[in-house]
Amino acid sequence: MPKLALTKLSGIVLGAALVVLATAPAAFALDPNASVSKEAGPFDLFRHGFKAYREGNKEEAVEAYRYAAEMGHTGSRWALATMYADGDGVAQNDLEAFKIYSEIASQGVEPGSEDTGFFVNALLALADYYRHGIPGTAVKTDLTQARQIYFQVASTFGVA
């Protein structure tokens, strides 16, 4: 899938997350005076990470996403992987992004669930990595694998 199409789909997922998060009360996950801490639930940490990211505090966003990802929060895993893929707030690392996207893909998702958008975007990113490979790593171009993933996304989730 062309990077522009993946970016548009990612924007749709982030846009949907923004609608949910816009109504959330403000809190700083890692601020000791805030109502949310690193021991908070994964969705609260995700919300905080998204807010920090939106405000340009990417270091704090990464930290909040990491805590939530460790708790299994799919959206946080996806956000963290995307930051690694783009080198956005962290050192660009396609192999790390590939690993996280692979974890998301391996957990599966029920079509229509709240994690569907993150799951589909992770699959599309994986397909792109298989399509191009990751130079200097064991992830080589595998057009058969890329085609299978694109087919899964199209047939199961209706994303052409």
Side-chain angles (χ1 to χ4, degrees):
M1 171 168 268
K3 190 153 187 123
L4 179 60
L6 181 58
T7 302
K8 282 185 177 182
L9 191 55
S10 297
I12 292 168
V13 171
L14 281 176
L18 180 58
V19 170
V20 171
L21 298 175
T23 60
F28 295 96
L30 308 174
D31 176 353
N33 299 318
S35 61
V36 179
S37 70
K38 68 181 183 180
E39 289 81 25
F43 184 73
D44 288 335
L45 288 165
F46 173 71
R47 268 193 337 214
H48 172 71
F50 188 83
K51 182 179 185 296
Y53 181 89
R54 193 178 60 210
E55 293 173 352
N57 189 347
K58 294 179 182 179
E59 186 176 302
E60 190 168 335
V62 167
E63 191 171 358
Y65 288 149
R66 278 196 180 122
Y67 285 127
E70 288 171 6
M71 295 179 204
H73 189 266
T74 303
S76 295
R77 285 180 176 174
W78 175 83
L80 197 54
T82 302
M83 290 177 82
Y84 276 114
D86 296 339
D88 187 13
V90 294
Q92 200 268 338
N93 186 334
D94 284 315
L95 186 58
E96 186 63 25
F98 178 86
K99 288 176 185 176
I100 298 170
Y101 288 136
S102 295
E103 290 172 6
I104 294 169
S106 69
Q107 77 186 38
V109 70
E110 183 69 33
S113 75
E114 64 185 25
D115 291 334
T116 299
F118 299 118
F119 181 77
V120 168
N121 278 295
L123 288 176
L124 291 171
L126 279 177
D128 195 52
Y129 281 125
Y130 281 121
R131 195 169 141 212
H132 301 287
I134 302 174
T137 72
V139 181
K140 304 300 179 202
T141 300
D142 185 341
L143 296 179
T144 302
Q145 182 69 16
R147 190 176 313 112
Q148 288 175 340
I149 294 171
Y150 286 136
F151 181 77
Q152 177 186 1
V153 169
S155 63
T156 306
F157 301 99
V159 177

